[in-house]
Amino acid sequence: MPKLENENRAKYILDDVTVKVVDTLLDNPSIPYSKSQLAEAADISRDALYRRWDALVENNIVKKSDVESGGDYWELDQDSEKVEAIAKLLH
């Protein structure tokens, strides 16, 4: 199967909300976000983000940031092979 067909198929599997989240994180990989901040930056509802949150963490797309601010902050898991693969598909 040609590479382009595989890429198009993979893009189809990623839903719009997940693409927006990952794209936002790829554009700003070193910025730690709270979940609310990430939803706002990605222009999605918090509810939509929360429904996908466990999958984003379990698939090593996001990881907890080392920011010491009293709250939970998250950032792109730049060491993840899945992030690298998604980045190639989106950009």
Side-chain angles (χ1 to χ4, degrees), residues 14 17-31 33 38 49 52-65 73-90:
L14 295 172
V17 171
T18 302
V19 168
K20 285 182 177 183
V21 169
V22 172
D23 206 30
T24 298
L25 292 168
L26 287 168
D27 287 345
N28 306 290
S30 61
I31 297 177
Y33 293 93
L38 181 55
L49 177 63
R52 289 159 181 83
W53 191 256
D54 289 341
L56 291 169
V57 173
E58 290 167 6
N59 285 290
N60 301 318
I61 306 301
V62 297
K63 66 179 182 177
K64 203 166 203 178
S65 177
Y73 283 82
W74 302 84
E75 61 189 26
L76 185 69
D77 187 343
Q78 297 183 48
D79 297 325
S80 169
E81 291 179 12
K82 290 180 182 177
V83 168
E84 184 179 331
I86 293 170
K88 287 179 183 178
L89 292 173
L90 297 179

